[in-house]
Amino acid sequence: MPVRIPSVSAAPAVLRCRTQMTVHSACRMLDRFLANWIPFHVENRKRLSMLQPSRQWRRHRPLPHSDRPPHMTLTSRYRSPHDLGARPHSRAQDIVFVSAQLGTAGDGLEDQIDQAVAGVVAALSEAGATVADVVKLGVFYHRSLIASEPAILARIGAAFPADPRPVVTAIPLHTLVGGALVQIEAIALHPHGARNARREAAPASAACHEPGFSAAIRAGDLVFVGAQMSRDEAGATLHEGDIVGQARVTIGHIGAALGGLGADLSCVAKLNTYYVGHGTTEDWTMAARVRSDAFRKPGPGATGVPVPGPYPGGLLLRQEAIGVATPEGLAAPRDTSWPEGIWDWPVPVSFEQGLKINDLLILGGQICANPRGEAVYPGDLAAQARNTMEWIDRILAGFGAGIGDLAKVTVFIATEGGDDDITRVLKEITPFFPAGLPALTLVPLARLGLTGLEIEIEGIGTLVPQASPS
């Protein structure tokens, strides 16, 4: 099938490279622009729409280049959290964070799902927990498998028979670390912690949820809300093609899920939005205002990144949340940290850079930008990674904490999936962690949310009270 490539005159502003950019950076941006515009073939998605046993999956003829993970062969050095220099699990209070576990590139889809699940189970065991303690799963899979998403989630859900069932967020990506087809991260509550015994799920009618998973779980002061979508009770897509309308519906669903557990939107401390977009400031702004208007200052820490799409059913975004509430369901008191001179968003929003709530440290997605929301060091992944970590250090210092107090870090990078970009990022961020990287999820994206960005980093940790002098 011939591929129609748009003219360069149609290129977005991200291609108008500034003079200080290197030739390498400009080429990387051009590659991502073309990759975003070249359509992947519908017939190939249909061919993978039924989950097959691994031997049958390998008998399929190879995917065309536009749909094939760029490193499906076993050439990547990054196949596990250990290879990334990260711990398989970390703990903040009684919250156990499990690093994203990968399938083995080149194996069948079912095998890769089982391998990733086995990695999660092993990490939980090391942390003194089990699958019965899991409250949230994050599933990232290759975009060629969008039609297979229900089957992927069904297989994963069967491996986590917790009561109540965990919440889940599933996100398609154009490539995954190590050329894998799937990676799975998890949050669990340690069985010896007070929160574990107090778990309850939102009523099934409260909000959207995937079959076999809960819409939301409350465990003491914490509330976990899985991916909410613009669907009605019958599962039909609402506001098809209208990302602003869909943002309003998903925020409403988050509020309904919280309401089903005796809380409300004011409790949201972390909001993540995965939207279908082209990685421009204009794209980001469209739905950001709706998300922001749902909260009052001090609002949540927020991350919003563009992903390939559309999602199944023509959905344009998915939003998940973590809330921290008082026993009465009100927002728990929160402290904020906003260092002088730190970057800001391109439009006024209610989001915060960093929060401390009940000694939990919550970072909104941090980027390398100026106070006008414009990228600094555009196209330079290493420089942006270093600058972003410097901002994180300053935000945490405002709470009397440091980077070593983070128990989970998620890194979103603009990459086509090669090892070089991952190596470049790890080289810059690892020295900031005195005891090594904590639990880690690395999410490759074609672009980040604002024009010129190469990286975004979010994190969760805990402020360990210092012993008073005797």
Side-chain angles (χ1 to χ4, degrees):
M1 178 183 295
V3 175
R4 180 175 173 270
I5 300 177
S7 66
V8 174
S9 63
V14 70
L15 292 181
R16 302 182 191 126
C17 304
R18 300 186 182 186
T19 56
Q20 67 265 39
M21 292 176 57
T22 65
V23 173
H24 172 70
S25 298
C27 290
R28 289 179 69 244
M29 297 175 75
L30 179 60
D31 286 343
R32 291 200 300 277
F33 164 68
L34 293 176
N36 190 72
W37 279 71
I38 297 175
F40 52 90
H41 302 302
V42 173
E43 65 266 27
N44 294 320
R45 286 183 289 171
K46 289 180 178 178
R47 190 173 68 246
L48 292 175
S49 63
M50 297 300 292
L51 203 59
Q52 304 273 358
S54 59
R55 290 189 298 273
Q56 294 177 349
W57 190 87
R58 283 194 286 265
R59 280 204 298 268
H60 283 301
R61 64 182 174 86
L63 293 171
H65 178 72
S66 58
D67 259 8
R68 185 170 63 248
H71 299 280
M72 188 174 282
T73 55
L74 303 178
T75 58
S76 174
R77 77 192 73 168
Y78 300 116
R79 304 178 192 174
S80 70
H82 179 268
D83 295 336
L84 296 167
R87 281 170 258 169
H89 59 85
S90 299
R91 187 167 163 180
Q93 300 175 2
D94 58 354
I95 310 168
V96 178
F97 296 95
V98 175
S99 290
Q101 304 293 318
L102 303 167
T104 300
D107 284 356
L109 177 56
E110 285 190 334
D111 285 346
Q112 291 203 32
I113 293 172
D114 294 346
Q115 291 157 2
V117 167
V120 172
V121 173
L124 289 169
S125 179
E126 287 183 11
T130 71
V131 294
D133 303 310
V134 173
V135 291
K136 182 183 184 301
L137 293 170
V139 179
F140 300 91
Y141 63 90
H142 191 261
R143 71 180 184 186
S144 63
L145 303 170
I146 284 178
S148 296
E149 183 182 279
I152 293 171
L153 292 180
R155 190 173 186 87
I156 294 171
F160 293 91
D163 183 19
R165 291 280 184 156
V167 304
V168 68
T169 296
I171 304 297
L173 300 174
H174 74 300
T175 187
L176 276 77
V177 175
L181 292 176
V182 64
Q183 64 181 34
I184 305 172
E185 63 176 12
I187 300 177
L189 299 176
H190 198 278
H192 296 159
R195 293 183 174 111
N196 189 300
R198 300 163 63 188
R199 289 179 293 166
E200 61 174 317
S205 59
C208 289
H209 63 94
E210 298 289 352
F213 294 92
S214 298
I217 290 177
R218 182 167 183 176
D221 59 336
L222 298 181
V223 186
F224 301 90
V225 182
Q228 295 300 303
M229 295 159 273
S230 183
R231 288 177 177 165
D232 62 18
E233 294 180 357
T237 299
L238 302 172
H239 302 286
E240 190 167 354
D242 177 7
I243 195 169
V244 173
Q246 291 194 19
R248 290 195 180 98
V249 171
T250 54
I251 287 290
H253 286 338
I254 291 174
L258 291 165
L261 293 168
D264 60 29
L265 281 172
S266 70
C267 301
V268 175
K270 186 70 178 77
L271 180 71
N272 280 21
T273 304
Y274 300 90
Y275 63 92
V276 177
H278 301 293
T280 66
T281 300
E282 292 74 20
D283 275 346
W284 178 89
T285 302
M286 287 175 63
R289 294 183 188 275
V290 175
R291 294 183 287 131
S292 171
D293 289 348
F295 307 96
R296 295 180 180 178
K297 279 279 194 180
T303 300
V305 293
V307 297
Y311 291 108
L315 295 167
L316 296 176
L317 80 166
R318 288 177 173 171
Q319 300 195 89
E320 62 178 5
I322 298 176
V324 187
T326 66
E328 298 76 25
L330 305 175
R334 55 185 66 184
D335 296 328
T336 65
S337 177
W338 195 287
E340 183 178 356
I342 195 170
W343 68 275
D344 204 346
W345 287 271
V347 295
V349 292
S350 61
F351 306 140
E352 295 292 338
Q353 304 286 12
L355 298 169
K356 179 172 77 71
I357 311 174
N358 296 347
D359 283 334
L360 282 175
L361 304 169
I362 299 172
L363 288 173
Q366 295 301 305
I367 60 175
C368 179
N370 62 27
R372 297 182 300 279
E374 301 165 337
V376 178
Y377 310 119
D380 189 333
L381 179 59
Q384 288 196 15
R386 185 167 56 252
N387 180 260
T388 300
M389 291 303 301
E390 290 168 351
W391 281 129
I392 289 173
D393 193 31
R394 291 183 59 185
I395 293 169
L396 293 172
F399 300 125
I403 289 178
D405 294 311
L406 295 176
K408 170 67 194 302
V409 173
T410 303
V411 180
F412 304 90
I413 65 169
T415 178
E416 291 307 309
D419 281 2
D420 288 349
D421 287 338
I422 297 174
T423 301
R424 192 173 294 115
V425 168
L426 293 174
K427 180 180 178 181
E428 296 299 333
I429 70 173
T430 301
F432 285 88
F433 293 88
L437 289 168
L440 172 70
T441 296
L442 200 151
V443 182
L445 299 169
R447 292 183 178 85
L448 273 297
L450 301 180
T451 304
L453 288 185
E454 299 291 321
I455 189 167
E456 183 164 350
I457 304 175
E458 64 179 22
I460 299 179
T462 187
L463 183 63
V464 179
Q466 298 296 318
S468 58
S470 54

